[in-house]
Amino acid sequence: MSAETADTAEPTPERTDDGADVADRRREQRGWYFYDFACSVYSTSVLTVFLGPYLTSIAKAAADADGFVHPLGIPVRAGSLFAYAVSMSVVVAVVVMPIAGAAADRTGRKKPLLAAAAYVGAAATTGMFFLDGHRYLLGAFLLIVANASISVSMVLYNAYLPQIAEPEERDAVSSRGWAFGYTSGALVLVLNLVLYTGHDSFGLSESDAVRICLASAGVWWGAFTVVPLRRLRDRRVAPGGEGAVGSGWRQLLATLRDMRRHPLTLSFLLAYLVYNDGIQTVISQASVYGSGELGLDQTSLITAVLLVQVLAVAGALGMGRLARVYGAKRTILASLVVWTLILVAGYFLPSDAPVFFYLLASAIGLVLGGSQALSRSLFSHLVPRGKEAEYFSAYEMSDRGLSWLGPLVFGLAYQLTGSYRDAIISLVIFFAVGSVLLARVPVRQAVAAAGNPVPERI
């Protein structure tokens, strides 16, 4: 049902299991979409486009004659700093996410926790305006805070999905959320492109333009977070047990032990952990590869990522439709084959040839949103009722929290070889192993084992 249709209420509305009528559910869904609209500009403008090359240039300016910086006395090749900072942010997120998930499930108050995580991340991103000169440590610190914050917020955001969408509509709702995110990413990138390419006419230096683009993503994130905070509602739960903060890690361990009673859910989570690590690494390191190995300028990188954003909207919605015909599992497996071909093609891309990079970006756009959206909706079917935030905390660790291995492997490969081509081709293993693991999961049986109704197509 479209947003326009949802605004028309029937005289006697349908009821969901928790008593909310269909119109209220649609209203919550539209509010839920807007958090993707708010925070996706961070992933696009900051993490994917501007911060990697910019932080790397700052680190190189501060490096010694051998090309190394020395944070805390540790020798780090300047070109590896960004990848290592992304990996460190994941470690921080791993510590915080179980606490947030336990607090949400014990109190039923996801919204205040979502607000706290969102605005800490937005503030850190806005603070990137002050990143200049040799301040590579400041840049690494702000990246760690912002990246950890968005990971925590996504635990809470994703945990709403089983509560606001019926089983048969989750693929479509999840895909629309990703489409909203890619739409905002594309819109802001167009504004970034205008500012960056015309910085002289605005009386700005190139560095000033980049810093404004970085900070504006934080402002956008904070401003549009207001919409979901107004429309989403908390579901109260009966109080009891230990305080959530003190029991966060114990709750995570209890969740993992509970997953042992649902081994098929755990099997899917393992498969997702592996292949999504590859996806997240491609997203975060693509601009570094384009600038450092292929010699592309910032304008070419912005244009390529803009292509990704535009095509990802169509890709997310299109793969959502394919999932209704072929099932989410088969559609995801097909996307992983495409991801593998993309990496192989990326290894052979010629330098100083932006047209080929644009073609590769187009292919990424067509599979990026759909593979992530369908993975999220598929997992929502495997979560026992009443344990959404707990299970999505473990899921988010797979999505962002445990996606430290890919950036680490990428950074180590470059540190050891000095070649980003060797680094990018090493990621093929994540998609190959993830595909094998996913293919072995009987998803219909897994949904039934979790005590949930089995959709006609999954």
Side-chain angles (χ1 to χ4, degrees):
M1 181 183 293
S2 68
E4 291 81 0
T5 306
D7 286 333
T8 304
E10 297 293 331
T12 305
E14 294 176 51
R15 313 295 292 184
T16 59
D17 291 342
D18 65 356
D21 61 42
V22 171
D24 285 344
R25 192 171 79 243
R26 295 290 187 263
R27 184 176 186 275
E28 273 198 282
Q29 288 172 4
R30 292 193 295 272
W32 185 79
Y33 299 150
F34 265 94
Y35 189 68
D36 244 326
F37 191 85
C39 71
S40 289
V41 297
Y42 165 81
S43 300
T44 302
S45 291
V46 177
L47 195 63
T48 304
V49 178
F50 287 107
L51 189 58
Y54 187 62
L55 182 58
T56 300
S57 68
I58 290 175
K60 287 182 176 179
D64 59 22
D66 296 321
F68 286 83
V69 290
H70 300 269
L72 304 178
I74 302 171
V76 173
R77 191 184 290 271
S80 295
L81 178 72
F82 176 71
Y84 289 157
V86 171
S87 189
M88 179 58 68
S89 73
V90 167
V91 175
V92 175
V94 165
V95 174
V96 181
M97 283 192 296
I99 298 173
D105 280 335
R106 286 175 181 274
T107 66
R109 294 178 59 80
K110 296 183 185 70
K111 227 169 28 169
L113 295 168
L114 176 62
Y119 284 111
V120 168
T125 305
T126 305
M128 292 176 186
F129 178 80
F130 301 102
L131 179 59
D132 60 2
H134 290 180
R135 296 179 178 175
Y136 71 91
L137 283 177
L138 174 63
F141 172 75
L142 293 175
L143 168 59
I144 290 169
V145 172
N147 223 39
S149 296
I150 199 170
S151 296
V152 173
S153 73
M154 292 303 289
V155 168
L156 305 161
Y157 169 72
N158 287 336
Y160 272 104
L161 180 58
Q163 297 177 333
I164 66 173
E166 294 297 290
E168 297 290 347
E169 63 182 352
R170 285 182 199 162
D171 286 347
V173 170
S174 183
S175 296
R176 288 189 199 116
W178 282 105
F180 263 61
Y182 286 117
T183 299
S184 74
L187 175 60
V188 173
L189 267 184
V190 169
L191 300 176
N192 291 160
L193 185 60
V194 170
L195 179 64
Y196 180 81
T197 57
H199 61 81
D200 288 333
S201 61
F202 291 108
L204 300 171
S205 68
E206 182 178 343
S207 174
D208 290 339
V210 171
R211 292 188 297 117
I212 290 172
C213 291
L214 292 171
S216 65
V219 174
W220 181 285
W221 184 358
F224 283 99
T225 295
V226 172
V227 179
L229 293 180
R230 288 179 62 86
R231 292 201 169 191
L232 292 172
R233 63 184 180 88
D234 286 327
R235 275 75 173 170
R236 297 291 181 178
V237 296
E242 303 175 75
V245 173
S247 64
W249 273 98
R250 285 189 291 276
Q251 183 63 66
L252 175 63
L253 294 176
T255 300
L256 294 177
R257 284 195 296 270
D258 186 68
M259 281 187 178
R260 293 170 59 186
R261 298 191 302 111
H262 304 284
L264 299 180
T265 299
L266 196 57
S267 296
F268 172 81
L269 195 61
L270 176 61
Y272 179 70
L273 183 156
V274 175
Y275 71 73
N276 187 66
D277 204 347
I279 293 175
Q280 294 298 322
T281 307
V282 172
I283 294 171
S284 65
Q285 304 304 319
S287 61
V288 174
Y289 180 72
S291 61
E293 186 67 40
L294 304 181
L296 302 179
D297 58 25
Q298 193 72 60
T299 301
S300 297
L301 294 176
I302 296 173
T303 304
V305 176
L306 182 58
L307 269 175
V308 171
Q309 300 303 301
V310 172
L311 291 174
V313 175
L317 297 176
M319 287 183 64
R321 292 183 178 182
L322 287 175
R324 290 201 294 270
V325 178
Y326 299 104
K329 177 183 172 181
R330 289 182 180 179
T331 307
I332 295 169
L333 284 171
S335 76
L336 297 183
V337 173
V338 177
W339 275 109
T340 303
L341 296 175
I342 286 170
L343 289 178
V344 173
Y347 179 82
F348 292 104
L349 278 186
S351 300
D352 300 314
V355 172
F356 291 103
F357 193 69
Y358 296 157
L359 292 174
L360 202 66
S362 299
I364 290 175
L366 291 174
V367 294
L368 175 58
S371 56
Q372 293 179 314
L374 293 178
S375 296
R376 177 171 64 186
S377 61
L378 180 55
F379 183 72
S380 73
H381 292 286
L382 310 182
V383 177
R385 187 180 294 272
K387 297 186 177 182
E388 292 85 5
E390 291 178 28
Y391 272 59
F392 268 107
S393 178
Y395 174 87
E396 191 64 21
M397 284 189 172
S398 302
D399 189 357
R400 299 174 192 268
L402 290 183
S403 293
W404 55 269
L405 184 58
L408 181 62
V409 168
F410 189 94
L412 286 173
Y414 178 77
Q415 176 138 344
L416 295 173
T417 67
S419 169
Y420 284 120
R421 292 186 189 273
D422 292 337
I424 202 73
I425 200 64
S426 68
L427 302 179
V428 168
I429 189 67
F430 292 97
F431 295 102
V433 174
S435 296
V436 172
L437 293 175
L438 178 60
R440 294 170 60 87
V441 179
V443 291
R444 298 184 68 85
Q445 183 180 340
V447 175
N452 294 322
V454 181
E456 182 180 350
R457 292 284 184 182
I458 193 169

